[in-house]
Amino acid sequence: MSRKSEPSHPSAESGRRASAATKAIIVLLTLVIGLGGMVAWLWTRRATPVALFPGATQVDNLIRKKFPETDFARVYPGMSADDIDRLQRESLGIRYVYAPFVEFAPKPVAGRFVNVNAAGYREGRAPAPWPPVREDFTVFVFGGSTTFGFGLPDGQTLVSALEAELARRWPQRTVRCYNFGRGYYFSAQERALFESLLAQGVAPDLAVFVDGLNDFIYHDGVPELTEEIATLVAPDLPPPARVEPADDAQRGAAVDRMIAAYARHVKLTEALGRAAGVPVIFVGQPVPFLDFPMSEANYPFKSTFAEHRLASWGYGRFKEAARLGRFGDRFVWCGNAFARAETVMYADSIHYSAAGAELLARTLVERAAQVELWP
């Protein structure tokens, strides 16, 4: 026979209620603290500037820190030590902000040597009108940090050198080359940027794409800063994993995929250009680990190319694919532009010096002329 429960004592019931309330408060406080910590962490990630050499500060010049053995007076003939330092710091100080479709873009900056305007391109030899003037011969140049001209003043970048070469070729025209090179960008992002500009109703007379190096870095098609953006959108989910090839078989497969993706990029970009009435030229860029007689005289850097391991392994395959015509008849191979270089072609282990930019621009103009690609 079951026994009827006795009524609880009032003090015991109050104690249980107080204990339950205490537990609820603890749970709520834990949630608030956890959410607060997450918000603080996300805000910290959001507010942290992104630079080509992560961790750049006003105290350290990370280019000099990375290459302490280099005499940069040889890289920048005629520039004072203070000016070289300032130029390198301005390059390191480029920040990136969110931008639709392309994920991120350089934040406008006004410096002594490095200037990026609100339209998203880097200034050149002289200020250029935006939007472009119809009467000018307008060229949009796309690429990564080597095209942007990391480590160079505005007027000495590849794009500025290309403008000077084309102006000599067409003295009767006003030539304007707009520098849409951006740190970290590879061919897919450049195509998205090109399409975005066309969608805004801004069309050049010609578009030039300088690529090769960064397509190896992002061989999986995942752009830089994807982890940071993915974490902001869904902090409770793991960001896309990036797996680097571990052996020659994996490296070969990765390079084959990259070359196939680049070939598709060329076709898609050509189609965009045709739809907008804009001819395009694709350029295979030079790198220091292929067709370059590296010596102390022309390359005063001690670098292992750690971040460019796949490119140093497979750039020859990229060259061979170009030779076989996989990138179409509007592709110009300039990977051997520095094959006879005797002076310094690089401002650091990978970015072009002023001399390198001039030689590459001259090579591009000559070789594109040989196959009648200039309008």
Side-chain angles (χ1 to χ4, degrees):
M1 182 177 180
S2 62
R3 187 168 61 182
K4 189 175 182 180
S5 302
E6 295 182 3
S8 301
H9 193 278
S11 61
E13 184 66 24
S14 298
R16 281 195 293 271
R17 289 178 180 174
S19 176
T22 300
K23 290 179 180 178
I25 291 171
I26 291 173
V27 171
L28 287 173
L29 284 174
T30 301
L31 288 173
V32 169
I33 293 171
L35 288 173
M38 181 176 292
V39 169
W41 179 77
L42 289 174
W43 180 259
T44 300
R45 299 274 287 193
R46 175 180 182 272
T48 302
V50 179
L52 288 167
F53 287 89
T57 68
Q58 295 300 311
V59 176
D60 290 329
N61 178 335
L62 296 186
I63 298 178
R64 290 182 177 276
K65 191 173 182 179
K66 185 171 183 179
F67 307 106
E69 75 290 344
T70 300
D71 176 11
F72 281 97
R74 293 176 52 202
V75 180
Y76 301 97
M79 288 186 70
S80 69
D82 287 344
D83 283 350
I84 294 172
D85 181 67
R86 180 165 179 171
L87 168 58
Q88 291 173 330
R89 288 177 184 274
E90 287 187 10
S91 297
L92 289 165
I94 295 294
R95 294 185 60 179
Y96 292 86
V97 295
Y98 172 75
F101 306 111
V102 293
E103 295 196 358
F104 58 90
K107 185 177 183 294
V109 62
R112 181 178 172 188
F113 297 106
V114 179
N115 293 271
V116 178
N117 62 34
Y121 62 88
R122 184 175 180 182
E123 297 287 2
R125 298 184 300 164
W130 188 263
V133 176
R134 185 184 300 272
E135 291 73 24
D136 294 345
F137 184 80
T138 302
V139 182
F140 287 178
V141 186
F142 301 89
S145 57
T146 52
T147 300
F148 175 85
F150 182 83
L152 288 177
D154 297 331
Q156 296 181 7
T157 67
L158 168 63
V159 180
S160 291
L162 179 61
E163 182 178 278
E165 288 290 331
L166 293 178
R168 280 191 286 270
R169 186 175 183 82
W170 299 311
Q172 74 281 9
R173 300 293 303 275
T174 298
V175 178
R176 305 279 192 186
C177 290
Y178 289 79
N179 188 346
F180 283 102
R182 294 178 173 182
Y184 304 109
Y185 270 38
F186 66 111
S187 58
Q189 283 175 294
E190 295 158 24
R191 185 177 72 249
L193 177 56
F194 181 41
E195 182 177 0
S196 177
L197 291 166
L198 294 176
Q200 296 171 38
V202 183
D205 296 299
L206 176 71
V208 177
F209 297 81
V210 183
D211 287 305
L213 181 67
N214 283 2
D215 281 85
F216 279 87
I217 299 176
Y218 307 106
H219 59 87
D220 53 6
V222 179
E224 187 70 29
L225 304 186
T226 294
E227 179 179 350
E228 288 80 358
I229 294 172
T231 301
L232 285 172
V233 174
D236 58 320
L237 300 176
R242 172 168 284 153
V243 179
E244 291 302 318
D247 54 37
D248 284 355
Q250 292 182 12
R251 280 187 278 272
V255 171
D256 288 345
R257 287 192 300 270
M258 185 279 292
I259 290 174
Y262 181 77
R264 290 191 293 271
H265 153 76
V266 167
K267 291 181 180 180
L268 291 170
T269 306
E270 278 194 79
L272 277 173
R274 282 195 300 271
V278 179
V280 295
I281 294 176
F282 304 94
V283 183
Q285 68 181 127
V287 293
F289 31 77
L290 181 73
D291 291 336
F292 178 59
M294 188 181 294
S295 68
E296 176 60 27
N298 62 20
Y299 194 82
F301 308 101
K302 294 180 173 62
S303 174
T304 58
F305 304 117
E307 64 271 38
H308 301 292
R309 189 175 297 109
L310 184 62
S312 63
W313 183 88
Y315 212 75
R317 291 195 182 197
F318 185 57
K319 174 184 177 180
E320 179 64 10
R323 188 188 69 81
L324 294 173
R326 291 194 59 182
F327 308 138
D329 56 8
R330 301 199 66 83
F331 180 91
V332 180
W333 177 252
C334 292
N336 59 349
F338 303 160
R340 297 180 180 179
E342 297 180 354
T343 57
V344 177
M345 294 287 101
Y346 292 89
D348 57 41
S349 63
I350 207 72
H351 300 100
Y352 306 131
S353 66
E358 288 181 3
L359 179 54
L360 176 54
R362 187 163 60 252
T363 303
L364 166 58
V365 169
E366 292 172 354
R367 294 183 181 180
Q370 290 170 3
V371 290
E372 301 180 347
L373 293 183
W374 297 118

